[in-house]
Amino acid sequence: MSPGARRLGIVAALLALAAAGTGLGIALPKLRAWLYGDAPAIELTRDDTACRPIGVPCSATHARLQLALGLGQSVSPLQAFPVTVSVQGAEAGGLRSVELAFTMQGMDMGILRTPLLRQADGSWRGRGLLPVCAAGRSDWLATVTATGADGERYRAQFAFPAGH
C-alpha cells in the first residue's frame, strides 16, 4: 500500500469515527431518557391546584387520561403509607406502567421511586416511605408518571406536606 493510500485510509477512518461520535451524541441522550424515564411527557392539568392528596384523592386530567392520587390518611417520615392511583379515560386500560416518585423542591433528597402494581379494579397501588429531611422541611412533591401501551408518557405533580 502506498503512503498516500495509507493516509487516505486513516483520514477516512477518522471521519467515520467523527460521524459515529456525532451519531452517538444525538442517540445517547435519547437512550438515557428512555433508560431513566426522563423522556418528555404530556403534563396533565391539576383539577384543583390547592388539593393535597393526603386523606382525599387529588386528580389531574388530559383529553385521554384522568388520574387521581391518594396517599392515605397521614404521611410522616419513616412510616410506610398506602399509595393509590386511580385512572380513567381512553388510555387507562392500556397503561403499561404507573410510577410514583417523591422529591423535594430545592433540596436534594434523591428521587424516591415507589413501585405501583395494577389491581383488579384498574387502580395502581403500593406503599410509600419518606426519609427525614435533615433541614426539617416537609414540603414534598409526588410525581405520577403513567406510560401507555404506545410508550406515550403522561405526568402529573402534586405538592403535599409530610407530618413530623
Side-chain angles (χ1 to χ4, degrees), residues 122-139:
S123 67
W124 296 74
R125 296 191 183 156
R127 305 239 350 126
L129 183 67
L130 298 175
V132 174
C133 176
R137 289 182 47 192
S138 63
D139 52 323

Side-chain angles (χ1 to χ4, degrees), residues 44-113:
L44 279 70
T45 303
R46 298 259 317 272
D47 296 335
D48 177 1
T49 56
C51 185
R52 303 294 180 246
I54 298 174
V56 59
C58 296
S59 58
T61 306
H62 179 266
R64 299 184 50 77
L65 183 70
Q66 179 184 27
L67 60 83
L69 171 66
L71 299 179
Q73 295 301 315
S74 66
V75 175
S76 295
L78 303 179
Q79 295 179 10
F81 53 90
V83 172
T84 302
V85 175
S86 301
V87 293
Q88 295 179 345
E91 292 287 326
L95 292 178
R96 262 193 318 206
S97 66
V98 175
E99 181 181 86
L100 181 62
F102 295 107
T103 57
M104 189 176 279
Q105 194 168 8
M107 176 73 72
D108 186 2
M109 299 292 289
I111 297 174
L112 308 159
R113 298 192 193 280

